[in-house]
Amino acid sequence: MRQRFHAWLLDHADEAVLRWIFRGIFMVTIAVLALDLASMQGWIANPDSAAAPAEIKEGSPALNLPSMLPSILAPLLPGGDKRLMPLPQPDGAMAKPMTFELVSGGKLMATGTITPGISQSFAAEVGKRGDYVKTVVLNSPGGSVTDALAMGQLIRESKFATEVESGKYCVSSCPLVFAGGVERRAGDGAEIGVHQVAAIHSAANGPPRDEMSVAQNISARCQRYLGDMGVSLQVWVHAMETPHDRLFVFKPDELKSLNMVTASPAPVAGPATGKPRS
């Protein structure tokens, strides 16, 4: 085999060998680009896609969604921002669909991932216990943007306050829920952070969609919503500047200057002495 290969090399000029190598690389590149384009345009069905209307989510470790947005929505921050941190890795209750528990002081504890459809569960909880709720206390790694917007709207309509307690976090799409509070409080050490919309899922076997158009539409909805809630649109700028696998965490003074936080944390309540239930 060595002798044959050596003889073949002697019979072919270097230019011919390089030409065949270049052709091989070119063909492989074309095949990869074609598969990538077919996937982005929806011509190849995603086995994980549900046969439901298109759903737009922000990246969440609990959902483990791949990024499909073009890189132009992920610009590098000038000089690199050392404040960017990896996404938290939720476990236990945080990795599960969000749950709601009414505790003393009129606090509705909302803990876990904002999964698609969870806004309906939240609305049902508010319908049952809304008369007793004063504050929605958030501890969440985020999730569905559509549901986060719906929850935030209901919070504002119900005139609830929102809070992230000391040592807890509200990231990804969760700050959209937080923004709905008529008063917004964050305890010492509470983490509130944002990043880009990370995934856009088309309905299974549905027609190709303009993914960029969908991304721009949800971005416009979020900006309009934050403006309606009285929050600086600079919050969304930080989100769009931050890659979906990183997190931009606001400093306490930024939360106040951007009007994300509007009030001081409420005093810590004592042990429950019989909370109201319906």
Side-chain angles (χ1 to χ4, degrees), residues 101-109 122 125-126 129-138 154-163 178 180-185 266 269 276:
E101 180 184 7
L102 183 64
V103 301
S104 62
K107 291 187 174 183
L108 181 64
M109 313 300 290
F122 178 68
E125 187 72 17
V126 170
R129 313 189 194 281
D131 291 343
Y132 306 121
V133 176
K134 297 179 180 178
T135 303
V136 177
V137 182
L138 295 160
L154 181 55
I155 286 172
R156 178 57 60 92
E157 292 170 3
S158 303
K159 295 180 171 56
F160 297 153
T162 51
E163 182 174 357
F178 180 73
V182 291
E183 287 188 355
R184 300 182 284 272
R185 302 184 285 266

Side-chain angles (χ1 to χ4, degrees), residues 165-239:
E165 296 181 328
S166 299
K168 307 299 183 181
Y169 65 87
C170 175
V171 300
S172 188
S173 65
C174 178
L176 294 172
V177 184
F178 180 73
V182 291
E183 287 188 355
R184 300 182 284 272
R185 302 184 285 266
D188 294 336
E191 292 186 357
I192 298 177
V194 294
H195 62 172
Q196 292 173 351
V197 173
I200 302 175
H201 284 274
S202 301
N205 302 319
R209 296 182 298 119
D210 186 342
E211 307 291 2
M212 179 62 75
S213 176
V214 176
Q216 291 175 341
N217 179 269
I218 193 65
S219 181
R221 287 180 59 194
C222 290
Q223 291 180 62
R224 184 180 298 110
Y225 166 83
L226 290 173
D228 291 343
M229 298 300 128
V231 176
S232 170
L233 295 186
Q234 187 66 27
V235 169
W236 195 247
V237 172
H238 284 302

Side-chain angles (χ1 to χ4, degrees), residues 20-216:
W20 280 106
I21 292 175
F22 175 78
R23 287 176 179 175
I25 295 174
F26 180 76
M27 294 301 296
V28 171
T29 301
I30 291 296
V32 171
L33 290 176
L35 288 174
D36 187 54
L37 177 63
S39 177
M40 292 183 65
Q41 295 296 327
W43 300 335
I44 298 178
N46 186 339
D48 295 329
S49 298
E55 177 62 33
I56 305 173
K57 306 179 180 69
E58 281 199 338
S60 168
L63 298 176
N64 194 27
L65 298 174
S67 174
M68 293 175 62
L69 279 183
S71 60
I72 61 172
L73 287 185
L76 295 176
L77 296 177
D81 195 329
K82 295 181 180 179
R83 292 172 52 192
L84 299 188
M85 57 178 291
L87 288 172
Q89 298 299 319
D91 55 12
M94 296 294 286
K96 297 178 181 178
M98 182 172 278
T99 59
F100 308 100
E101 180 184 7
L102 183 64
V103 301
S104 62
K107 291 187 174 183
L108 181 64
M109 313 300 290
T111 305
T113 299
I114 304 172
T115 50
I118 203 67
S119 59
Q120 298 175 18
S121 299
F122 178 68
E125 187 72 17
V126 170
K128 290 188 297 182
R129 313 189 194 281
D131 291 343
Y132 306 121
V133 176
K134 297 179 180 178
T135 303
V136 177
V137 182
L138 295 160
N139 188 19
S140 171
S144 166
V145 174
T146 302
D147 286 84
L149 290 171
M151 292 173 66
Q153 289 282 9
L154 181 55
I155 286 172
R156 178 57 60 92
E157 292 170 3
S158 303
K159 295 180 171 56
F160 297 153
T162 51
E163 182 174 357
V164 181
E165 296 181 328
S166 299
K168 307 299 183 181
Y169 65 87
C170 175
V171 300
S172 188
S173 65
C174 178
L176 294 172
V177 184
F178 180 73
V182 291
E183 287 188 355
R184 300 182 284 272
R185 302 184 285 266
D188 294 336
E191 292 186 357
I192 298 177
V194 294
H195 62 172
Q196 292 173 351
V197 173
I200 302 175
H201 284 274
S202 301
N205 302 319
R209 296 182 298 119
D210 186 342
E211 307 291 2
M212 179 62 75
S213 176
V214 176
Q216 291 175 341

